[in-house]
């Protein structure tokens, strides 16, 4: 990560050193999981789109990190993935989700889906809001409509990962989106 980006992390102390937490971040590029994972020495269980999870070059790495594939095309598979993420929380693990469900096409934080609430249901795990900035326009972002359409910010862009304080109350998708957006 540090070879490709100049990373500044703010608020890393908000991620618990032990115990369960759901890390929730905006989704600005294909590098976001690496950057979110960079903020803690703990292994983070990421929910990720199944076609990327199954990519031959990376599948071994994703399996070792115990990523949780999610198939948005199948409602039953989506529910299974959310239950698997919840089970990781119950075991006291860190789980991460990008509730926008897709990478931003305009650099803004998009609407959040409600899957995060299903993961948290019945647990006492806090939500740790995060915001990644500095990558819109990088080839791994979707500026221009898809990856590798924009070559701005190519060489070691400065990236900020801001981590807000834990939230322990029930949040609507709009409320959580607002908290993440305000970390910008």
């Amino acid at each position: 990560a540090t070879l490709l980006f100049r990373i500044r992390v703010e608020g890393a102390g908000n991620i618990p050193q032990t115990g369960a937490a759901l890390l929730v971040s905006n989704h600005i590029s294909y590098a976001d999981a690496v950057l979110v994972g960079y903020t803690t020495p703990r292994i983070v269980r990421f929910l990720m789109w199944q076609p990327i999870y199954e990519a031959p070059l990376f599948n071994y790495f994703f399996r070792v990190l115990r990523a949780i594939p999610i198939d948005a095309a199948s409602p039953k598979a989506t529910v299974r993935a959310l239950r698997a993420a919840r089970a990781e929380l119950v075991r006291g693990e860190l789980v991460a989700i990008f509730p926008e469900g897709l990478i931003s096409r305009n650099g803004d934080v998009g609407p959040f889906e409600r899957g995060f609430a299903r993961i948290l249901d019945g647990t006492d795990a806090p939500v740790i809001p995060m915001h990644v900035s500095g990558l819109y326009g990088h080839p791994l972002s979707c500026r221009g409509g898809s990856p590798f359409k924009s070559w701005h910010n190519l060489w070691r862009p400065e990236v900020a990962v801001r981590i807000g304080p834990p939230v322990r109350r029930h949040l609507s998708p709009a409320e959580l989106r607002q908290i993440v957006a305000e970390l910008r």
Side-chain angles (χ1 to χ4, degrees):
T2 56
L3 290 174
L4 298 175
F5 310 108
R6 292 176 291 151
I7 306 168
R8 185 178 75 248
V9 176
E10 300 172 14
N14 289 324
I15 299 175
Q17 292 181 5
T18 61
L22 182 63
L23 309 180
V24 174
S25 178
N26 64 313
H27 206 7
I28 200 74
S29 77
Y30 282 100
D32 296 341
V34 171
L35 296 165
V36 167
Y38 178 85
T39 64
T40 179
R42 296 178 63 190
I43 298 289
V44 180
R45 288 5 182 237
F46 284 91
L47 276 100
M48 65 184 316
W49 192 41
Q50 189 156 355
I52 293 173
Y53 177 87
E54 293 174 350
L57 292 174
F58 304 109
N59 180 259
Y60 174 79
F61 176 72
F62 297 143
R63 284 185 290 119
V64 166
L65 292 176
R66 294 179 39 211
I68 302 166
I70 189 163
D71 182 3
S74 167
K76 285 184 181 182
T78 298
V79 169
R80 276 194 302 274
L82 297 175
R83 285 182 183 154
R86 184 182 176 283
E88 292 292 337
L89 281 183
V90 169
R91 281 193 278 280
E93 303 293 342
L94 290 179
V95 175
I97 187 170
F98 300 105
E100 293 165 277
L102 50 87
I103 295 173
S104 175
R105 299 302 196 254
N106 62 8
D108 292 330
V109 180
F112 279 15
E113 301 294 331
R114 64 181 192 266
F116 75 90
R118 292 194 82 171
I119 294 169
L120 289 167
D121 189 36
T123 74
D124 61 352
V127 171
I128 310 297
M130 305 175 85
H131 188 278
V132 177
S133 61
L135 280 178
Y136 188 66
H138 187 275
L140 295 175
S141 75
C142 287
R143 182 177 180 180
S146 63
F148 303 106
K149 294 277 183 162
S150 173
W151 291 91
H152 297 89
N153 299 331
L154 177 62
W155 186 248
R156 293 198 73 227
E158 185 172 319
V159 177
V161 183
R162 292 183 183 90
I163 305 161
V167 179
R168 294 190 174 272
R169 61 184 175 85
H170 174 77
L171 296 165
S172 71
E175 290 171 320
L176 183 54
R177 181 202 171 278
Q178 186 64 35
I179 290 168
V180 169
E182 288 174 358
L183 291 171
R184 176 180 256 178

